[in-house]
Amino acid sequence: MELETFLKIMDSGERVVAGSEVHQKMCELSQEALQITMQINSQYHSPEALHELMCRLTSRALDESFRLFPPFYTDCGKNLKIGKNVFINACCQFQDQGGIEIGDGSLIGHHVVMATLNHVQNPEKRGDMYPKPIRIGKNVWVSANVTILPGVTIGDGAIIAAGAVVTKDVPENAIVGGVPAHLIRTVDFDR
């Protein structure tokens, strides 16, 4: 299966049946991602070398302003879209099979988990999955130890407080926190 076909299927949100051709492609891409992330995580790399490795991982040209502090983990890499002036801090775990988009100027804190796949509830079919993308707007600050669940969109300028579990969309310029995340207040532009 070609990468472009795989990405269209994943972006459609259609059910992925365990053992199917699509599932096999997921496994193949995961192995490639494991190889590249092992390179990223196993020794020191200059910012330029990390940039090159992330371009290989995503199969996309990333802006020169992108910065990453390893270690970094992902199960695919090919469905990860990263904007300009994005910073990803250490120990993040992205499950990007279902698609992750990070807008310009966004900051991703330590130990952030983004999950884009849900398994079906039926125990007989538990290996089947539904992909749903995560979209992070521009100038978003995702604090340390946040978990973002499948299908969530975070609006421009929002702040996600440390330790939050984000289960639903976040409006722009909102500050949310807690488990599950709820509105705390809106961004104070004077601070």
Side-chain angles (χ1 to χ4, degrees), residues 147-185:
T147 298
I148 303 172
L149 297 183
V152 168
T153 296
I154 298 176
D156 294 348
I159 298 173
I160 313 301
V165 176
V166 186
T167 62
K168 60 185 179 181
D169 292 353
V170 175
E172 65 181 51
N173 299 316
I175 300 174
V176 302
V179 179
H182 59 277
L183 181 65
I184 297 171
R185 63 179 178 273

Side-chain angles (χ1 to χ4, degrees), residues 29-104:
L29 292 171
S30 291
Q31 291 304 304
E32 183 182 329
L34 284 170
Q35 289 176 339
I36 297 170
T37 55
M38 281 298 293
Q39 291 175 7
I40 289 170
N41 299 334
S42 66
Q43 65 185 43
Y44 170 79
H45 298 282
S46 68
E48 297 77 19
L50 275 175
H51 184 271
E52 185 178 315
L53 285 164
M54 286 297 290
C55 288
R56 274 187 44 218
L57 179 66
T58 62
S59 290
R60 299 174 195 280
L62 299 176
D63 191 77
E64 295 296 325
S65 61
F66 169 72
R67 290 292 177 259
L68 168 73
F69 282 0
F72 175 75
Y73 306 94
T74 189
D75 67 347
C76 181
K78 305 301 186 230
N79 212 1
L80 179 57
K81 299 171 187 134
I82 300 171
K84 297 176 182 176
N85 296 305
V86 168
F87 173 67
I88 299 173
N89 218 326
C91 301
C92 288
Q93 298 180 21
F94 291 3
Q95 181 190 55
D96 71 292
Q97 300 272 11
I100 295 174
E101 241 179 88
I102 303 173
D104 296 347

Side-chain angles (χ1 to χ4, degrees), residues 104-126:
D104 296 347
S106 290
L107 307 173
I108 311 298
H110 294 88
H111 297 276
V112 168
V113 173
M114 295 190 202
T116 64
L117 298 174
N118 270 327
H119 289 275
V120 299
Q121 292 183 20
N122 180 345
E124 305 283 323
K125 305 274 186 185
R126 188 67 46 85

